[in-house]
Amino acid sequence: MPVIACAETAQRRTAWWLTAPALGLMVLILLIPVVIAGVLSFTDYSLGNDTFNWVGAKNYDRLFSRSTYEKMFIATFTYVVTVVPLSVGLGLGAALLINSMGRIGDIYKTIYFLPVMATLLAMAIAWEFMLHPSIGMVNRTLEMSCGTILEIIPFLKNGCADRFPLWLGDKDYAIWVICFIGVWQGFGFNMVLYLAGLTGVHRELYHAAEMDGAKSGWERFRLVTWPALGPTTVFVVTISCIRAFQVFDTIEAFWPQGGGPNKSTYVMMFAIFEKGIQQNLIGIGSAITVLFLIFVMFLTLIQRWLVERKVHY
Amino acid sequence: MTRDLWKHLILILGALIVIAPFYMMVSYSFKSPGEIDRGEGGFFGRQEMMVDERCVKLRDPDRDDVAAAAPRFPNQTDSQIRDALVAEAVADCQMRPIAFNYTKAFTEAPLLRYLLNGVIVTASIFLIQIVVALPAAYALAKLKFWGREAVFSLVLFCLLIPVHAIALPLYIMLAKVGLTNTYAALVVPWTISVFGIFLMRQFFMTVPDDLIDAARMDGMGEFAIVWRVMLPTAIPALLAFAIFSVVAHWNDYFWPRIVVTGNRDLFTPPLGLREFKGDGDGSFFGPMMATATVIVTPLIVAFLVAQRRFIEGITLSGMK
């Protein structure tokens, strides 16, 4: 019947009209840049030049041979490997504690979520004051322990005898401070996701586990809660990883030049910013971008694979 | 009971660490430079009158001022008049530290302008995201057309790409068309929210077909259906998405840092704060913390008022 056929064509046409803007922007803003980064990573292009030379895999060679980039990988992976387990673990711990205590727990939930809402750059500056070697709140608090029983702790003893760490100025501490702020900022987000996950765990399962002899709280957690939180954990770990890879604000705020003492906090996002944008070395910046995308996509694909295969109960 | 006590102790310790920088930020924004240096004054500081040195320096009397003031001080030497004028300036430049910090925050840098930019940018991003994503989500959820599966797989693929990661090629593209240092540069990369499309599509899948068929019977076109039928049904999801989007872009520092260089008129609040930090000396801790407080406050207050909605919105990405 021609009328229906006609209506179908009309619907098809409108459907394309409705998706066209989104489709166009997706290609223009997300896909083309990925291709551009891929292509430019094999060149020595810089903005302002009309031409460029193909340099083969030289940019990638550099990434894997120069010590600067070795430091970049070390800093990035140290950050990810520290922040992800800690923020996931603390998020889960806080969620379990809060979940077990009823309405009073909501106060903690609100407080722990505050850093997620706050502008990270502003909070980074606040932390910088907190960590100021002489007038910062952290070292002042530590100084208060001098002359008390707490001095038996070696760290405090050394601090009292000599001086407390410079924190941000010290290459042994800088990356750990960054990690700490990362955990401080991110664990509340994970906590909220876990709290949502916990509401989905059926009470009957606990009773059943108890009948089967799971008496201690740990047993119940191991047998019921943890498996039931599987899908949440997969998601929380993936999103924490992706966020951790993108750390930038704190580092740029503390060390606008150069990525920290002895480049100990020279993470990938900062490297892209410094090489690609500030120094106009687009080739090397693009190569870092490509590696970055590979890491992130790889992580997300693992997540999707896990979600589809394993964690449905 | 004792077990609960332990739980509270642990959680309170955590809460203290979480709150510490907020406490310090707000507290410093109340205090005078001296109090900050010496670490005194509790939370609010003592709020003793302090003298704004810069204000005094600006009013430093020159010879004309002294001559002009001569009638007011008859029978006095020039240097006596000068001293009297300086004393007047000092008296006029006295302020409470809290007033000093917050007025400096707004006068040393065009903070209002930055806040306005922040509002303009986040609002435009959100509106364009909706205008682009909603029709596409409707088509993907409710219309049958050839290529629908392909488009949807593309959406799923694009979910893998974080926009921050491709900042460099985006920056090059914008530079090539001469758009860096414009509002457009701040907004354009965020106009497409693949996540928004995905989310809205999932939501529209749950809307009954009858509703749409009824609208068609009434002679509504597909465009009208999107905006007059689907949009109102999607309000709760849209609200959650709005919170998600606004929080992300109000707080974003990386992207504005890349595309806005030097042109203060385009600074978003985090950029403004960054610049403040860049040229601040020791005595400006107070005003800087006042600026930080002003920037952080709107979202925190909104969050405290509508907690449940905010948590919903921020954790949207976790919903399946």
Side-chain angles (χ1 to χ4, degrees):
Chain A
M1 291 206 297
V3 180
I4 291 178
C6 187
E8 263 177 22
T9 342
Q11 198 183 59
R12 195 184 310 153
R13 200 174 301 145
T14 7
W16 277 105
W17 272 116
L18 292 171
T19 38
L23 207 56
L25 285 172
M26 245 189 310
V27 171
L28 185 70
I29 290 172
L30 297 171
L31 296 180
I32 291 182
V34 173
V35 175
I36 290 182
V39 171
L40 288 180
S41 70
F42 295 102
T43 70
D44 63 355
Y45 180 70
S46 45
L47 268 178
N49 291 6
D50 292 328
T51 57
F52 57 78
N53 303 307
W54 295 98
V55 296
K58 219 172 93 191
N59 290 324
Y60 292 97
D61 267 356
R62 236 181 253 175
L63 283 187
F64 291 111
S65 55
R66 294 245 176 120
S67 71
T68 316
Y69 299 114
E70 194 191 323
K71 283 178 182 163
M72 173 183 84
F73 288 121
I74 292 175
T76 311
F77 287 112
T78 313
Y79 183 84
V80 173
V81 169
T82 316
V83 169
V84 173
L86 282 178
S87 65
V88 172
L90 286 174
L92 175 62
L96 288 172
L97 284 180
I98 288 170
N99 195 50
S100 70
M101 61 191 346
R103 289 214 59 92
I104 303 185
D106 283 359
I107 301 171
Y108 299 112
K109 184 166 92 176
T110 308
I111 292 175
Y112 290 175
F113 202 70
L114 284 178
V116 183
M117 302 296 310
T119 310
L120 182 56
L121 184 84
M123 298 327 290
I125 291 174
W127 273 113
E128 192 176 8
F129 285 157
M130 300 266 297
L131 295 163
H132 192 287
S134 56
I135 64 167
M137 203 190 254
V138 172
N139 277 1
R140 279 210 176 121
T141 314
L142 290 176
E143 275 160 22
M144 286 196 312
S145 71
C146 289
T148 66
I149 184 81
L150 285 170
E151 257 197 76
I152 50 170
I153 303 168
F155 172 79
L156 290 176
K157 195 173 159 205
N158 292 341
C160 292
D162 184 12
R163 59 173 172 75
F164 284 105
L166 296 175
W167 301 116
L168 296 178
D170 187 326
K171 70 177 163 48
D172 294 332
Y173 285 102
I175 183 74
W176 304 114
V177 171
I178 294 292
C179 290
F180 172 79
I181 297 176
V183 174
W184 172 84
Q185 205 244 344
F187 86 98
F189 181 79
N190 296 340
M191 171 199 69
V192 166
L193 288 174
Y194 271 123
L195 279 171
L198 280 171
T199 56
V201 186
H202 293 296
R203 291 241 159 265
E204 299 90 78
L205 283 176
Y206 289 108
H207 294 307
E210 218 157 320
M211 301 256 209
D212 287 354
K215 284 279 178 288
S216 67
W218 166 247
E219 286 277 284
R220 282 200 299 277
F221 173 76
R222 194 174 60 85
L223 292 170
V224 181
T225 320
W226 180 245
L229 288 177
T232 314
T233 304
V234 170
F235 177 76
V236 165
V237 170
T238 323
I239 198 151
S240 299
C241 275
I242 293 173
R243 288 167 150 233
F245 264 112
Q246 297 188 34
V247 59
F248 175 81
D249 296 13
T250 40
I251 289 162
E252 213 272 346
F254 295 155
W255 306 280
Q257 322 286 335
N262 197 19
K263 295 242 176 228
S264 57
T265 62
Y266 191 63
V267 294
M268 289 179 92
M269 276 316 243
F270 189 82
I272 293 174
F273 172 71
E274 191 197 63
K275 293 290 166 196
I277 312 271
Q278 289 191 316
Q279 300 179 3
N280 202 3
L281 300 167
I282 307 265
I284 200 88
S286 301
I288 306 174
T289 300
V290 169
L291 282 186
F292 189 96
L293 281 172
I294 291 174
F295 289 145
V296 171
M297 287 191 179
F298 182 65
L299 280 171
T300 322
L301 287 176
I302 291 181
Q303 180 220 357
R304 284 191 190 168
W305 179 76
L306 278 176
V307 168
E308 272 159 34
R309 296 207 41 176
K310 256 184 83 183
V311 287
H312 279 302
Y313 289 92
Chain B
M1 195 57 221
T2 41
R3 260 175 65 201
D4 263 16
L5 205 68
W6 270 110
K7 285 180 191 168
H8 278 293
L9 270 178
I10 295 170
L11 287 171
I12 286 172
L13 188 70
L16 285 179
I17 295 171
V18 169
I19 294 263
F22 290 99
Y23 171 90
M24 197 224 63
M25 176 178 78
V26 179
S27 167
Y28 276 23
S29 80
F30 292 155
K31 290 187 188 181
S32 67
E35 284 168 328
I36 292 174
D37 266 354
R38 295 187 298 274
E40 331 167 312
F43 182 69
F44 290 102
R46 281 191 303 274
Q47 300 300 335
E48 279 163 357
M49 284 296 191
M50 58 174 276
V51 178
D52 179 357
E53 301 293 346
R54 253 191 236 195
C55 158
V56 175
K57 213 175 263 171
L58 274 180
R59 289 186 41 171
D60 195 36
D62 56 17
R63 197 174 295 167
D64 294 340
D65 293 328
V66 173
R72 287 203 286 140
F73 303 99
N75 309 324
Q76 290 191 1
T77 65
D78 275 5
S79 77
Q80 278 172 325
I81 296 174
R82 208 188 125 78
D83 290 344
L85 282 177
V86 170
E88 267 180 14
V90 169
D92 284 352
C93 287
Q94 278 201 335
M95 289 169 112
R96 302 263 174 218
I98 180 172
F100 171 78
N101 289 339
Y102 281 88
T103 44
K104 279 289 167 211
F106 282 92
T107 52
E108 283 298 302
L111 181 57
L112 271 180
R113 178 66 195 250
Y114 300 160
L115 292 171
L116 182 70
N117 285 341
V119 172
I120 292 174
V121 169
T122 44
S124 335
I125 288 175
F126 174 66
L127 287 178
I128 299 176
Q129 279 177 336
I130 292 303
V131 168
V132 173
L134 212 62
Y138 167 70
L140 285 173
K142 290 293 175 194
L143 299 180
K144 288 188 184 61
F145 60 103
W146 180 85
R148 183 171 81 164
E149 295 310 308
V151 174
F152 189 60
S153 343
L154 192 65
V155 169
L156 289 181
F157 176 75
C158 286
L159 274 173
L160 291 172
I161 307 169
V163 178
H164 277 171
I166 50 171
L168 181 60
L170 278 173
Y171 167 75
I172 297 168
M173 288 163 77
L174 286 167
K176 278 284 166 202
V177 288
L179 276 179
T180 48
N181 284 312
T182 59
Y183 279 115
L186 288 168
V187 174
V188 165
W190 308 104
T191 49
I192 177 78
S193 169
V194 199
F195 172 62
I197 297 180
F198 178 75
L199 187 83
M200 290 299 151
R201 179 215 176 238
Q202 302 303 82
F203 185 82
F204 287 155
M205 297 287 269
T206 65
V207 175
D209 285 337
D210 297 347
L211 189 70
I212 297 160
D213 287 335
R216 286 197 188 118
M217 294 288 190
D218 289 347
M220 282 172 110
E222 300 294 327
F223 283 93
I225 291 177
V226 171
W227 298 116
R228 306 226 319 255
V229 180
M230 299 311 267
L231 178 71
T233 61
I235 293 290
L238 278 180
L239 205 62
F241 180 68
I243 290 171
F244 175 84
S245 167
V246 167
V247 170
H249 296 114
W250 179 267
N251 289 339
D252 189 22
Y253 172 64
F254 182 65
W255 183 250
R257 178 80 180 81
I258 285 179
V259 286
V260 177
T261 43
N263 185 358
R264 276 175 142 208
D265 289 343
L266 289 169
F267 275 12
T268 57
L271 279 182
L273 180 61
R274 184 70 187 79
E275 196 209 26
F276 209 132
K277 177 173 182 275
D279 54 33
D281 52 56
S283 68
F284 263 62
F285 283 175
M288 192 153 99
M289 284 295 103
T291 309
T293 309
V294 169
I295 290 170
V296 171
T297 302
L299 284 185
I300 295 285
V301 169
F303 164 64
L304 291 177
V305 170
Q307 259 190 67
R308 208 172 48 80
R309 286 223 176 273
F310 264 76
I311 291 180
E312 233 168 62
I314 301 295
T315 53
L316 251 194
S317 46
M319 300 195 313
K320 284 276 158 358

